[in-house]
Amino acid sequence: MDYFNQETERLRFRKLTRADIPVWTGFFVDNDRLRFLGIDLSKKAETHATEWIEKQLERYETEGLGHLAVELKETGEFIGVGGILPRTLESRTEFEIAYSLLPKYWKHGYGTELAKQMKKFGLDQVQTDRLVSIIDKENIDSINVALKNGMTVLFETSYLGMEVEVYGIRV
């Protein structure tokens, strides 16, 4: 399975490019959930989008993973990002199923659909004994996605200055 070219019933995944920066900038405007990301909220939206995408381009080269662009198959619309991210958490390398959608695409089941696809890929292709999602304790929508993805709380910790629950599923 090619990590960079996956599909679900409604979604298509591809590598992010610098051409995605303008549309991804919209994620950082009037989004009351940015507090769940552990980012510097004083930065400009375009700076966040640029740094986010540049980080993924680096991950593609060094790790072969990272956030992918998520598009609607029917229209080709860019709706957000999702993927598997290598993370160091409590001195252990973890593989996080991570997802962030543009606000207008919330509450349509896309987060769950993309998370389930990343779980499928991770279970088949990633050399690890578990997959995780690191979620701020107040981020109810992301918690619901993790639960629908078959994950349960493994432990609580601090991450990027936030109190989080680490949800996981054994491989």
Side-chain angles (χ1 to χ4, degrees):
M1 188 183 311
D2 179 1
Y3 180 71
F4 299 107
N5 294 293
Q6 300 180 61
E7 290 187 357
T8 65
E9 180 182 337
R10 300 182 297 167
L11 306 174
R12 181 179 312 117
F13 303 88
R14 63 165 173 80
K15 285 184 177 182
L16 286 160
T17 70
R18 290 178 183 91
D20 295 315
I21 291 170
V23 69
W24 188 231
T25 297
F27 177 78
F28 299 96
V29 178
D30 296 325
N31 181 342
D32 67 348
R33 298 182 189 173
L34 294 178
R35 70 186 189 279
F36 298 141
L37 298 177
I39 60 175
D40 179 354
L41 298 177
S42 69
K43 289 184 180 181
K44 292 182 179 182
E46 186 174 2
T47 301
H48 278 300
T50 301
E51 289 176 353
W52 190 302
I53 288 177
E54 291 293 338
K55 179 66 176 173
Q56 304 324 303
L57 299 178
E58 179 185 315
R59 282 182 169 137
Y60 298 163
E61 295 301 315
T62 61
E63 299 162 344
L65 296 168
H67 274 125
L68 301 171
V70 182
E71 298 175 332
L72 295 179
K73 282 169 69 171
E74 188 174 312
T75 63
E77 289 174 84
F78 178 104
I79 68 165
V81 300
I84 299 175
L85 310 178
R87 303 275 201 198
T88 300
L89 196 58
E90 297 194 349
S91 303
R92 177 188 158 112
T93 298
E94 301 281 7
F95 291 90
E96 181 184 17
I97 296 172
Y99 36 86
S100 295
L101 298 176
L102 294 167
K104 78 183 231 179
Y105 298 102
W106 295 344
K107 305 285 188 187
H108 297 282
Y110 298 130
T112 299
E113 189 171 331
L114 80 86
K116 286 182 176 182
Q117 178 62 31
M118 291 305 132
K119 177 179 83 173
K120 179 180 175 186
F121 181 90
L123 292 174
D124 291 344
Q125 304 291 324
V126 177
Q127 298 298 314
T128 185
D129 64 337
R130 67 183 180 194
L131 298 167
V132 302
S133 286
I134 305 165
I135 304 173
D136 184 288
K137 291 180 181 184
E138 296 178 14
N139 191 343
I140 301 303
D141 289 326
S142 286
I143 289 169
N144 286 335
V145 169
L147 293 172
K148 289 175 187 173
N149 204 15
M151 295 181 154
T152 58
V153 176
L154 300 177
F155 59 94
E156 296 180 11
T157 190
S158 291
Y159 186 74
L160 300 177
M162 303 175 297
E163 294 304 309
V164 299
E165 293 175 323
V166 178
Y167 286 75
I169 188 164
R170 301 263 175 221
V171 175

